Amino acid sequence: MESEDDLLNLLLKSPNSESIQTIAEKLEIDHNFSFSKDRNDLQGVWVLRWSSSNSPFLKYSPLKI
């Protein structure tokens, strides 16, 4: 059984791995989480970021309007 740590390590070491989606979906099932059902329970500050970078971790500048 994959764990959250396995997913995080894979994201850090192989951010383009095709296994990421499979592991994430398995974790959702194992934790009985459904985004469509549970999205209102997610807490935090959510920021939409956009980048043209090919880097797996986005380098960004805040959008100034």
Side-chain angles (χ1 to χ4, degrees):
M1 178 171 138
E2 289 89 2
S3 70
E4 292 88 349
D5 289 336
D6 295 331
L7 179 59
L8 291 174
N9 287 329
L10 188 59
L11 287 167
L12 289 171
K13 295 177 182 171
S14 302
N16 297 319
S17 172
E18 294 180 9
S19 300
I20 292 172
Q21 182 174 350
T22 304
I23 294 173
E25 289 171 350
K26 178 81 169 97
L27 286 169
E28 286 181 7
I29 292 167
D30 290 348
H31 289 86
N32 196 26
F33 177 84
S34 167
F35 181 75
S36 60
K37 175 177 62 87
D38 299 324
R39 68 175 165 232
N40 291 329
D41 294 336
L42 296 175
Q43 297 178 6
V45 176
W46 295 90
V47 179
L48 176 62
R49 296 181 181 180
W50 175 87
S51 173
S52 60
S53 171
N54 291 329
S55 174
F57 299 102
L58 298 178
K59 295 178 181 177
Y60 76 100
S61 297
L63 179 65
K64 295 180 182 175
I65 299 176

